[in-house]
Amino acid sequence: MSRAIEVGVLGATGMVGQQFLALLAGHPWFTPTWLAASERSEGKRYGDAAAWRLAGPAPEGVPDRVVESATPGMGPKLVFSALDASVAGDLEREFAEAGHVVVSNARNHRMDAVVPLLVPEVNADHLALLEGQRAARGWKGLIVTNPNCSTVMLTMALAPLRQFDLRACLVTTLQAVSGAGYPGVPSYDILGNVIPFISGEEEKIESETRKILGAAEAAGVTLHPVAVSASTTRVPVIDGHTESVSVSLGARPQAEDLRQAFEAFRGLPQELELPSAPPRPLLYLDAPNRPQPRFDAGRDGGMAVSIGRLRPCRVLDWKFFVLGHNTVRGAAGAAILNAELMLAQGWLD
Ligand code: NAP
């Protein structure tokens, strides 16, 4: 890339929007020139519309930027979306109709047959669905999505197990409060507590996982046959979703085979050396008490997923823990990696 291209951020004032601005500061390929949010924030100085909630100061210049109206046709061709799901469905479609390439975090379009639900290390080939999207929707632009935050880490851990005939997966999540946006869960509800319900989350993990691990064809994706059963909880952790995972495998691999499969796992982002690609997407941690969110969620800038405690399961075959940074690898970083892949493969020309 000889020159960075201009990008916009829809929902720039929210939890994920802030993570976008943090990750895009100094990005070699993308420069955020247009920040948009709701009518509540529109026309205000960013620093007045949104309190900065990430560690460290807001990127230089951001607090003085004026928040724009989220109007389709305004702003750069490439827009990242961190819109609230209550408005993302219609607004993202309207942006795509107006010619924007929308790279979204929101759930609304993820399960649309002609919308790629991407984890670039796992299913970069699903970008081929965009041909079907152009034909079926007739939008001047495009929509590409990244999965729910818990699903990103889960699919990265399951992808290298497909070679062992992955048949079933039980997953229980321990999800950080930043995953609920701001203000999110009231402190009185979450401090010293565990909440065994996150609306819609289990269904998303169970359906999105099968689409991501599935095979893309022109008209859509054939879902992977793995049976997934998810239980989700909210815990008093700021950043980093932990997942306890058990899997059933038709083949009979040994622990060392699985460990090697995790450690050898690489994808197109590593081959293409995309700017946000961690050199090793999966890090196997040997210490018996890792991974832990406070120490491991930020590995490789939050883009690497940590795995640990691989051991036999008496009900299924094997069990282990997975951890990833929910607003980086599970949201803004995931979308930025998607856009890098799209740029590298000519989808933004
Ligand atoms: P959030 O903190 O509540 O932020 C929502 C953003 O949407 C704000 O910038 C808000 O602007 C904007 N917005 C709301 N209504 C709007 C409208 N009518 N027009 C334009 N902008 C509007 O939520 P979040 O946690 O950042 O999540 C953003 C999206 O990412 C959601 O769809 C969420 O499900 C998804 N996601 C989140 C995570 C995570 O870990 N947090 C992970 C994966 C995916 P104002 O500030 O002006 O109200």
Side-chain angles (χ1 to χ4, degrees), residues 160-161 163-164 256-266 282:
L161 305 185
Q163 63 186 295
F164 303 116
E256 196 45 39
D257 301 325
L258 297 178
R259 202 196 140 117
Q260 264 184 16
F262 290 138
E263 291 189 327
F265 179 62
R266 302 283 187 279
L282 298 177

Side-chain angles (χ1 to χ4, degrees), residues 9-20 36-42 44 46 49-50 53 67-71 81-88 91-92 95 104-108 110 146-150 152-153 175-184 201 204 234 239 241 325-332:
V9 180
L10 287 164
T13 50
M15 205 75 209
V16 175
Q18 298 199 357
Q19 195 62 260
F20 268 119
S38 76
E39 283 178 3
R40 185 191 69 78
S41 310
E42 182 189 325
K44 289 185 185 160
Y46 185 94
R53 294 193 178 85
V67 180
E68 310 280 347
S69 151
T71 305
S81 169
L83 287 172
D84 190 84
S86 62
V87 295
L91 256 182
E92 291 178 354
F95 270 82
S104 171
N105 272 281
R107 65 166 184 264
N108 310 64
R110 286 180 192 150
N146 55 259
N148 161 278
C149 39
S150 310
V152 178
M153 355 275 178
Q175 300 186 212
V177 290
S178 59
Y182 188 85
E201 194 83 349
K204 281 185 252 172
R234 186 78 68 196
D239 290 316
H241 290 356
H325 196 300
N326 52 294
T327 62
V328 180
R329 183 42 111 150

Side-chain angles (χ1 to χ4, degrees), residues 208-265:
E208 292 176 13
T209 298
R210 297 187 59 211
K211 179 172 177 181
I212 295 159
L213 296 177
E217 289 147 27
V221 173
T222 305
L223 301 182
H224 191 280
V226 62
V228 182
S229 175
S231 301
T232 55
T233 75
R234 186 78 68 196
V235 296
V237 161
I238 293 177
D239 290 316
H241 290 356
T242 303
E243 303 179 358
S244 167
V245 181
S246 296
V247 291
S248 163
L249 304 169
R252 287 279 164 252
Q254 301 300 302
E256 196 45 39
D257 301 325
L258 297 178
R259 202 196 140 117
Q260 264 184 16
F262 290 138
E263 291 189 327
F265 179 62

Side-chain angles (χ1 to χ4, degrees), residues 7 106 167 272:
V7 301
R167 292 185 174 175
L272 297 173

